Every structure is written in C-alpha cells, then in structure tokens.
C-alpha cells in the first residue's frame, strides 16, 4: 500500500496522544501490517481509529483498545505464556505474539479461526497456537498461563479461566455491568483475587458453544 510508512507513523503518534506510553508496544504496533488482518475493501481504513467489521458479525478491536489492553497486561518480568479468548482476525494475537514467549488463542467461529490461522502463518508468527473452541471451557492443551486476555465480554468471570491463571498471573477482561461494560484487571495472589476497574468499554458479547 502506498504511503504505508507515513500512515503508520501518524497512527503511532495518535496512539501516543491518546495516552499510550509503553514504547515497546508502540514499536510492535508500528511493525505489524494491520491492513493484512482486515477485509480488502476496508484496507484504506486500516490505520483509522475505529473498530472495523471482520465478517461473521464481529469487529476487530480499535487500535487504541488493542494498545491499551496490551499495556495493561504488560509486566516486564512476567511475559511467559498468555491465553487469549476471541482470536477474531488475529491482530491482537499478533501483538501478544511479539510480547509473550507463547500465545494460545481460542475462537468459537470456525471461519474466523481459519482466516486468522492463514494470516498469522503468512506473517511467520510461529509462537502462536490457535484453537477452534469455546473459551468458556478454558484451554485443554495447557493448564496454566501467566496472563489471560478476553476480547469478548462475559456476564461473569468464567471460573474455568480463572482456574488457569498462575499465581501472580493477571487477567484482563471486559465485563457486563448493568446496561454497560467495564474493563477490569484481575491479579491472582496468595491472598486471593485483586480486581481493578480500568474504564468503560464496548466489546461484543462472549457467547457459549462453537459456531
Ligand atoms: N481481538 C479480536 C476481537 C474480535 S471480537 C480482533 O481484534 O479481531 C471478539 C471475538 O470473540 C469474536 O471473534 C467472537 O467470535 C469471539 N468469541 C465470543 N465468544 C467466544 C467464546 N466463548 N470463545 C471463543 N471466542 C469467542
């Protein structure tokens, strides 16, 4: 795409202006070709700040939300394994792949799972395992993770996912609260779960079963 470099540096500056401070995360976002994760017809909008449709009634999260969630999940000395629920087009997965040693990502819509698999393989993100399944069931391939990120909103924190967090692990998730949603950061400690309210957000609902 023409002027791609230009688009990307504007894109990064505007994320910085919106309050994203972690330069490692900004560098990672600058390096990933976001246009390859979205429908060809929408590619000219790849570096806009909107959530865009990715088919199957789902949306790719806005770049700000991807950067913000990545910033919240970042802990300099604890970037081993991460489980993502809601692969979607795989863009957040790609960002996680550059931040963590190992990434597992689960998607309940087969068409999206297959498309993300193709995109991520073509870009050589090879520390990623993609699973077609229901995130409410947790991950059957690996027992524990240092971090878990949900990109779809459940009504309550799924127990099976909480059980898969290592001690000192953290979980980032949008949760339904009345008519709206809030983003939370949970930290599992010896003394229990600490929950921090981050912001108002709007994600697609986390649905049960495969589609
Ligand atoms: N990070 C993705 C967000 C996609 S939207 C992106 O930027 O593309 C959220 C995704 O969560 C959708 O693809 C939806 O199908 C998926 N999802 C919803 N409920 C799920 C569940 N129970 N298990 C796995 N994926 C789920």
């Amino acid at each position: 795409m023409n002027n791609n470099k230009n688009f990307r540096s504007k894109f990064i500056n505007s994320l910085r202006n919106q309050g994203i401070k972690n330069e490692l995360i900004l560098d990672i976002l600058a390096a990933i070709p976001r246009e390859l994760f979205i429908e060809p017809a929408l590619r000219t909008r790849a570096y806009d700040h909107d959530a865009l449709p990715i088919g199957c009634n789902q949306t790719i999260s806005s770049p700000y939300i991807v950067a913000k969630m990545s910033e919240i999940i970042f802990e300099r000395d604890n970037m081993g394994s991460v489980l993502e629920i809601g692969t979607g087009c795989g863009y957040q997965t790609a960002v996680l792949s550059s931040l963590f040693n190992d990434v597992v990502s689960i998607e309940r819509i087969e068409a999206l799972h297959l498309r993300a698999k193709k995109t991520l393989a073509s870009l050589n993100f090879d520390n990623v395992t993609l699973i077609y399944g229901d995130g409410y069931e947790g991950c059957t391939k690996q027992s524990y993770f240092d971090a878990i990120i949900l990109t779809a909103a459940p009504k309550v924190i799924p127990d099976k996912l909480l059980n898969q967090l290592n001690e000192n692990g953290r979980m980032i998730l949008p949760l339904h609260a009345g008519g709206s949603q809030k983003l939370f950061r949970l930290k599992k400690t010896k003394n229990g779960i600490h929950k921090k309210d981050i912001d108002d957000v709007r994600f697609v609902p986390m649905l049960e079963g495969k589609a």
Side-chain angles (χ1 to χ4, degrees):
M1 200 173 273
N2 293 337
N3 276 332
N4 226 339
K5 224 171 150 190
N6 221 348
F7 273 131
R8 285 199 214 172
S9 70
K10 266 197 191 155
F11 171 70
I12 295 306
N13 276 336
S14 86
L15 287 172
R16 214 177 259 126
N17 291 338
Q18 288 177 81
I20 303 298
K21 295 192 179 70
N22 185 316
E23 291 294 325
L24 173 64
I25 290 169
L26 290 169
D27 283 349
I28 290 171
L29 265 81
I32 298 175
R34 187 170 153 87
E35 66 276 12
L36 299 186
F37 290 83
I38 56 190
E39 306 276 347
L42 294 171
R43 282 188 181 161
T44 53
R45 293 173 58 197
Y47 295 97
D48 289 356
H49 285 278
D50 307 322
L52 297 171
I54 54 172
C56 309
N57 259 335
Q58 305 302 320
T59 49
I60 179 173
S61 306
S62 75
Y64 171 74
I65 266 296
V66 172
K68 180 82 186 163
M69 287 179 91
S70 305
E71 205 167 61
I72 298 168
I73 212 167
F74 186 78
E75 279 184 15
R76 191 163 299 281
D77 299 319
N78 193 8
M79 302 301 280
S81 55
V82 63
L83 172 64
E84 177 187 42
I85 306 300
T87 316
C89 69
Y91 180 71
Q92 172 89 64
T93 322
V95 175
L96 294 171
S97 154
S98 310
L99 282 170
F100 285 83
N101 295 338
D102 292 297
V103 184
V104 177
S105 182
I106 305 178
E107 172 57 55
R108 68 180 285 278
I109 299 179
E110 190 171 26
L112 294 179
H113 160 76
L114 291 174
R115 180 143 42 94
K117 206 168 176 175
K118 221 166 142 181
T119 312
L120 289 166
S122 74
L123 293 167
N124 298 323
F125 286 104
D126 45 20
N127 60 343
V128 174
T129 305
L130 297 183
I131 298 176
Y132 167 47
D134 177 1
Y136 280 108
E137 296 302 320
C139 178
T140 48
K141 292 208 171 159
Q142 188 175 324
S143 305
Y144 294 102
F145 295 87
D146 298 313
I148 299 182
I149 178 169
L150 278 67
T151 70
K155 293 204 168 81
V156 293
I157 302 166
D159 274 345
K160 286 190 179 163
L161 294 177
L162 209 46
N163 290 340
Q164 292 203 286
L165 258 194
N166 273 329
E167 193 175 304
N168 285 325
R170 64 278 191 205
M171 183 187 287
I172 313 300
L173 81 166
L175 265 184
H176 286 282
S180 58
Q181 289 177 13
K182 274 187 187 301
L183 189 64
F184 288 96
R185 183 186 205 278
L186 310 185
K187 179 94 184 172
K188 198 181 223 179
T189 71
K190 268 206 281 297
N191 309 319
I193 304 284
H194 294 270
K195 190 170 165 202
K196 192 172 157 204
D197 177 342
I198 308 279
D199 212 346
D200 290 335
V201 285
R202 210 176 64 209
F203 282 79
V204 298
M206 182 164 165
L207 302 176
E208 287 187 43
K210 293 203 269 186

